[in-house]
Amino acid sequence: MTRTVGEISISLDGFVTGPDPGLDNGLGDGGEALHTWVFSDDPVDRALLRSATAATGAVVLGRGLFDIVDGPHGWTDELGYGGSEAATPAFFVVTSDPPATTRLPFWTFVTTGLRDAVAQATAAARAAAESAGADRDVVLMGGGATVGSALDAGLLDELRLHISPVVLASGTPLFTGARRHALVQRSVTPSSDAVHVVYDVDR
């Protein structure tokens, strides 16, 4: 079964970036602390990253996050989706204005909205699952507005939050109060750098 998963790192006070994020300051002031767990040597973090990356068949992201990861200070051969456990799933970018050129070669741009991007990613993940002989997920990796909008639109089956031990005080919030949601807590896994929480989304 292909599940649609919102997966994102978040501060204790609910922000997915620090203040003033941008092309030259991707995660905002202090926001690098949100992803300490991705580069950790903690075996819990490493195992979670490996298993999640291996189970990903397609990834959806918003235009703001694309601009950062495809930008001059973005992903490299050593640093990509999944950190040092980098994988090469299909990537779908939600945007109303695709760029004329890209630095990295693997992007598909979807101009007809988030729901269509998730539908295209689901088809790609199912094809990857058939090829691999194992289930593959669609992962919405961010930014915060993309994951939050997918939750509000009823597009998510699962929400994975990597809660980092930092209070950012301001930045980009994940939850904006657009809708109430009932979640079912499925697992809580602490490591030295984060608490990894998985929820099923009660649609």
Side-chain angles (χ1 to χ4, degrees), residues 45-71:
D45 295 325
R46 297 260 57 82
L48 283 171
L49 195 60
R50 278 194 300 271
S51 63
T53 302
T56 300
V59 175
V60 176
L61 63 158
R63 177 59 187 267
L65 181 56
F66 159 79
D67 285 342
I68 292 169
V69 299
D70 193 64

Side-chain angles (χ1 to χ4, degrees), residues 2-8 56-66 69 75 81 89-95 106-125 137-151 155-156:
T2 297
R3 291 173 64 82
T4 303
V5 178
E7 181 167 18
I8 199 162
T56 300
V59 175
V60 176
L61 63 158
R63 177 59 187 267
L65 181 56
F66 159 79
V69 299
W75 287 349
Y81 177 74
F91 290 92
F92 297 85
V93 180
V94 185
T95 180
F106 42 66
W107 310 108
T108 296
F109 296 97
V110 181
T111 60
T112 49
L114 179 58
R115 190 173 295 274
D116 281 351
V118 170
Q120 291 184 39
T122 299
D137 296 326
V138 173
V139 175
L140 282 76
M141 63 172 285
T146 299
V147 175
S149 295
L151 181 64
L155 296 174
L156 298 185

Side-chain angles (χ1 to χ4, degrees), residues 15-66:
F15 295 103
V16 297
T17 76
D20 300 319
L23 288 179
D24 295 322
N25 192 29
L27 289 170
D29 297 341
E32 294 82 3
L34 295 170
H35 287 178
T36 299
W37 73 273
V38 174
F39 306 101
S40 170
D41 291 327
D42 188 305
V44 172
D45 295 325
R46 297 260 57 82
L48 283 171
L49 195 60
R50 278 194 300 271
S51 63
T53 302
T56 300
V59 175
V60 176
L61 63 158
R63 177 59 187 267
L65 181 56
F66 159 79

